[in-house]
Amino acid sequence: MNLSDFEIYKTIYEIKSLNKAAVILGYSQSNITTRLKALETEFNTLLFTRNHNGVNATENGVKLYTFINQTLNQMNKLKTNFSNATPTLLISELLFNFLVIEEKVFSINDILITSKKTSEIPEELNNHFYDFIITFNKLINNAYTLKSIKKLNVCFLQSNVIRKNESLPIFINNDLMCPLRNLTLELYKGSTNIIEVDSLQNILKLVENGQGISLLPQYLVRTYSFERKDSVSYDIEYFKYQYKS
């Protein structure tokens, strides 16, 4: 059981419907059903009975709801007590470089920052709470409120000091949820000249060494030996969330 399971169970109990709970939480019904079955297996008991109107909690299901409510309330009280503590931020690694290092929107002296690949953020939120989340993908976790949507300007970059080769490969991140990767694959659909690289830092090194090109934030021309491959640029949305206190 993890914190997201608490929210799932609480919603099912209060709505009395797996389908409606899935819609409210932004999950598929199959995912909701799987999580509920996992809870029933973990506690070795039937938590809900099904009827034509939805579901009703069993006696043990009511007990679990009471426990979950008490636990969530205690956690919220604890967070309130910690309100004067250093706030926490979970951020996609590419946005960390942009907002923390380049733009200095956040200071590491004022906020505890955790940087993850975009695909790792949902799992991270299953295990930890953060005061703020900044990510390229919309969250389906109803513990957080969307505060703003902004855009990161990106373009294809190449080395500005090493002789160019028109047949240079195109580097993409191996993070399957990276929006720059997905846009590159869309733009170069069917290309056999695309190479996956295991990290952003390695992509930056390869491009700077003239070994390929990559779709990257335009601001990097100020800090690396890069230049634009052409005049075309794209805007990638990113989302800022705040924990519901």
Side-chain angles (χ1 to χ4, degrees):
M1 175 185 287
N2 55 45
L3 293 173
S4 64
D5 290 334
F6 280 18
E7 295 290 347
I8 289 172
Y9 186 85
K10 185 174 185 291
T11 304
I12 295 173
Y13 183 95
E14 294 173 351
I15 300 300
K16 301 185 186 302
S17 167
L18 297 180
N19 184 50
K20 290 179 181 178
V23 172
I24 290 171
L25 296 173
Y27 292 106
S28 66
Q29 184 170 343
S30 62
N31 187 275
I32 293 289
T33 301
T34 298
R35 296 312 310 155
L36 177 57
K37 287 182 179 179
L39 286 174
E40 291 180 327
T41 299
E42 183 172 349
F43 288 100
N44 193 30
T45 188
L46 182 67
L47 297 172
F48 291 98
T49 58
R50 290 172 171 76
N51 56 53
H52 64 282
N53 291 322
V55 295
N56 287 318
T58 63
E59 182 178 351
N60 286 340
V62 174
K63 292 178 181 178
L64 180 60
Y65 174 76
T66 301
F67 167 77
I68 285 176
N69 246 356
Q70 291 173 344
T71 301
L72 290 176
N73 287 337
Q74 287 299 318
M75 290 187 67
N76 286 332
K77 288 179 182 178
L78 192 60
K79 285 187 68 66
T80 299
N81 291 335
F82 290 167
S83 60
N84 292 325
T86 304
T88 55
L89 168 67
L90 175 63
I91 188 169
S92 298
E93 61 178 358
L94 186 60
L95 291 171
F96 173 86
N97 288 354
F98 175 54
L99 295 174
V100 179
I101 298 176
E102 177 66 18
E103 297 294 317
K104 296 180 174 55
V105 174
F106 300 98
S107 169
I108 59 175
N109 297 319
D110 301 325
I111 190 167
L112 295 175
I113 302 174
T114 300
S115 173
K116 294 284 185 180
K117 287 188 174 183
T118 301
S119 60
E120 296 172 342
I121 286 181
E123 181 61 28
E124 178 69 14
L125 290 178
N126 284 338
N127 301 300
H128 301 94
F129 279 117
Y130 289 86
D131 294 298
F132 302 98
I133 315 293
I134 302 180
T135 178
F136 286 112
N137 293 327
K138 292 182 178 179
L139 295 184
I140 55 174
N141 188 322
N142 70 344
Y144 294 88
T145 301
L146 178 63
K147 303 301 290 184
S148 65
I149 302 175
K150 296 186 178 181
K151 295 180 179 180
L152 175 67
N153 187 256
V154 302
C155 58
F156 282 96
L157 299 179
Q158 60 189 7
S159 172
N160 66 1
V161 295
I162 297 177
R163 197 167 75 182
K164 314 302 181 300
N165 183 334
E166 289 300 323
S167 63
L168 284 174
I170 305 163
F171 298 124
I172 60 172
N173 201 303
N174 67 353
D175 181 354
L176 297 181
M177 294 180 69
C178 172
L180 279 66
R181 167 201 171 95
N182 294 331
L183 178 55
T184 300
L185 291 176
E186 180 182 336
L187 294 170
Y188 288 87
K189 190 176 298 183
S191 174
T192 59
N193 201 28
I194 294 176
I195 298 175
E196 283 192 352
V197 181
D198 63 355
S199 73
L200 172 63
Q201 293 306 314
N202 284 338
I203 289 176
L204 297 177
K205 290 177 184 177
L206 289 167
V207 172
E208 194 166 41
N209 288 337
Q211 294 176 259
I213 66 172
S214 186
L215 185 62
L216 294 165
Q218 183 174 313
Y219 77 85
L220 291 173
V221 298
R222 300 196 295 268
T223 52
Y224 286 82
S225 300
F226 291 159
E227 66 181 14
R228 296 177 60 146
K229 178 179 178 294
D230 51 42
S231 61
V232 181
S233 63
Y234 310 88
D235 286 326
I236 303 293
E237 286 187 336
Y238 62 91
F239 308 90
K240 179 181 179 180
Y241 291 85
Q242 184 171 354
Y243 180 70
K244 296 178 182 178
S245 58

